[in-house]
Amino acid sequence: SFFDRKVSSDFIQKINDQSRIKDFLISFPNTVIVLLLNLIVFSILLCSYSPLIFGIFIALSIVEIGWSALFLNKRKALNFTLFVNSSENRNHAYELTNGMAELKANNAETVRLSKWRHTQEKINATSMKSEWINTFSNGGQMAISKIKELTVTGLSAMMVIEGDMTFGIMMTLGYITGR
């Protein structure tokens, strides 16, 4: 039967995952609608003020999105590994807490504890890999974002100096581009 093949900690993990999925599905549509509306309105404004700056902003934004996309598969694999290891860890903890009397009677507590420690080491190693990926990904995103901000600011400042743009429009562009 299905329940005989599954470990009890898997069921607990799946129940917790249902909560995460529900939270994601509730918040995601609202966030996407607001982001798309902002993107459309501010893109029209940015393009009307300066098509050159709009083009550069869009190009660097695509580079930033591409940078993030480079790490998606690695993050997916690490999340899956972390899920499997966490499930195994919960199973070991469940076995330790529910079967302690049997483990002590059979002198098997050291074997179970060593399995649990090994699982903890795998979780820690996976978490460290995940943090390195996140740090590298976020660092690259921040660098690209700062380059984008500096480029937009520098171009708009040059346009103000040359008289092609007013200072007010430069300030508006700064707001639109998220500085």
Side-chain angles (χ1 to χ4, degrees):
S1 127
F2 174 78
F3 292 101
D4 294 335
R5 290 185 317 223
K6 295 293 179 178
V7 180
S8 54
S9 62
D10 284 343
F11 296 120
I12 294 169
Q13 179 64 39
K14 289 183 188 323
I15 290 169
N16 291 337
D17 287 346
Q18 291 298 320
S19 173
R20 289 177 58 197
I21 291 169
K22 180 190 70 143
D23 292 343
F24 173 76
L25 290 176
I26 288 173
S27 67
F28 185 71
N30 295 336
T31 305
V32 168
I33 289 170
V34 169
L35 285 174
L36 286 176
L37 188 61
N38 280 339
L39 180 67
I40 291 168
V41 170
F42 287 138
S43 291
I44 292 169
L45 284 173
L46 186 59
C47 191
S48 69
Y49 286 134
S50 175
L52 174 66
I53 292 177
F54 173 73
I56 291 171
F57 182 79
I58 292 297
L60 288 173
S61 294
I62 290 170
V63 169
E64 191 174 351
I65 291 168
W67 178 263
S68 295
L70 286 174
F71 299 97
L72 286 179
N73 286 335
K74 189 68 174 169
R75 283 182 179 176
K76 179 181 175 182
L78 287 172
N79 280 341
F80 181 76
T81 303
L82 193 60
F83 172 81
V84 169
N85 290 338
S86 296
S87 177
E88 187 178 328
N89 183 51
R90 272 187 296 285
N91 189 45
H92 288 309
Y94 182 77
E95 288 175 356
L96 282 171
T97 55
N98 289 336
M100 189 54 75
E102 291 177 23
L103 290 173
K104 285 191 176 200
N106 296 324
N107 284 331
E109 63 266 10
T110 55
V111 172
R112 286 294 178 186
L113 279 173
S114 67
K115 286 183 180 180
W116 177 76
R117 283 188 188 115
H118 180 69
T119 303
Q120 285 294 322
E121 290 169 0
K122 289 193 298 187
I123 289 172
N124 291 340
T126 304
S127 296
M128 287 299 293
K129 286 179 189 174
S130 180
E131 286 304 314
W132 277 109
I133 294 290
N134 287 339
T135 301
F136 194 66
S137 173
N138 292 341
Q141 270 185 301
M142 285 176 42
I144 294 169
S145 180
K146 291 298 179 190
I147 290 169
K148 182 171 55 176
E149 287 178 18
L150 289 172
T151 303
V152 168
T153 303
L155 273 173
S156 56
M158 277 182 28
M159 294 173 93
V160 167
I161 290 170
E162 293 173 356
D164 297 333
M165 180 185 291
T166 65
F167 185 72
I169 292 176
M170 180 180 141
M171 297 300 291
T172 303
L173 290 178
Y175 173 76
I176 291 172
T177 57
R179 280 181 288 134

